[in-house]
Amino acid sequence: GMGGITLLAAGWIVVHGVSARDTPTATEEVLARALRHLAVPMGERRRPNPIPPGPEVLAEGRAHWADHCATCHGNDGRGDTEMGRNLYPKAPDMTLDKTQKLTDGELFAIIKNGVRLTGMPAWGNPTSEGDAQTWKLVHFVRHLREITPKELDQMKDEFLSIASHQ
């Protein structure tokens, strides 16, 4: 049971240390993914996205992404930012199957509640308005594979105009 897992984890740490500089081992990746999966209750995993997709929804999701997510995940979702590369485990490339195969409900729960023992904080503002924002982000995460150079330029422009007004 859990006692065995705790013991294994403790033994692992003794042998491997806890430096955030190392690349996560395959075992850690599997563990992290299993924990992430278990962190999302079955009912939430099956939740459909209540917000219909559309250009406006994507634009809102994109603006929110540029504002809250891009620092670690990059505008293109590949995680190739200074912050993303230095997190432990490093920010995932969200265009890959590992992320894209998650259900909308799982993506929603991960954004809203964060992932323990990683750099992923809980972002969701616990209001229905906050939930709507999060569902729009789920649409945007789905869109990352098709993101265009034009959209990436727009995100840079939006970011610069926000930065210059602060």
Side-chain angles (χ1 to χ4, degrees):
M2 277 323 269
I5 291 174
T6 310
L7 212 64
L8 265 173
W12 183 260
I13 288 167
V14 169
V15 176
H16 296 277
V18 290
S19 164
R21 293 227 169 260
D22 308 326
T23 306
T25 61
T27 312
E28 281 178 303
E29 264 209 41
V30 169
L31 261 174
R33 224 168 312 142
L35 284 171
R36 185 181 66 187
H37 186 71
L38 292 170
V40 182
M42 182 70 84
E44 282 193 39
R45 248 178 256 161
R46 298 207 171 121
R47 271 176 89 183
N49 194 329
I51 293 183
E56 229 167 90
V57 163
L58 266 186
E60 278 187 59
R62 191 180 65 224
H64 198 74
W65 176 273
D67 212 22
H68 295 83
C69 318
T71 314
C72 294
H73 290 287
N75 280 340
D76 62 2
R78 292 182 187 273
D80 194 19
T81 65
E82 189 177 358
M83 197 83 113
R85 284 189 303 266
N86 288 305
L87 286 173
Y88 187 88
K90 62 181 199 283
D93 178 341
M94 297 178 81
T95 63
L96 299 179
D97 277 354
K98 277 182 208 174
T99 298
Q100 293 294 333
K101 281 206 166 112
L102 297 171
T103 65
D104 284 358
E106 279 179 297
L107 286 173
F108 174 85
I110 288 165
I111 297 165
K112 182 170 176 158
N113 304 320
V115 182
R116 221 181 284 204
L117 303 178
T118 74
M120 179 66 189
W123 280 111
N125 159 354
T127 59
S128 56
E129 202 182 314
D131 281 358
Q133 271 292 5
T134 301
W135 285 118
K136 288 173 190 174
L137 268 177
V138 170
H139 280 302
F140 184 74
V141 168
R142 295 280 180 232
H143 175 70
L144 284 168
R145 280 184 164 169
E146 287 101 61
I147 201 159
T148 64
K150 190 180 161 211
E151 284 178 285
L152 291 170
D153 283 345
Q154 254 173 319
M155 288 163 92
K156 282 189 204 113
D157 293 346
E158 281 165 13
F159 182 74
L160 289 172
S161 74
I162 292 165
S164 65
H165 289 136
Q166 278 174 359

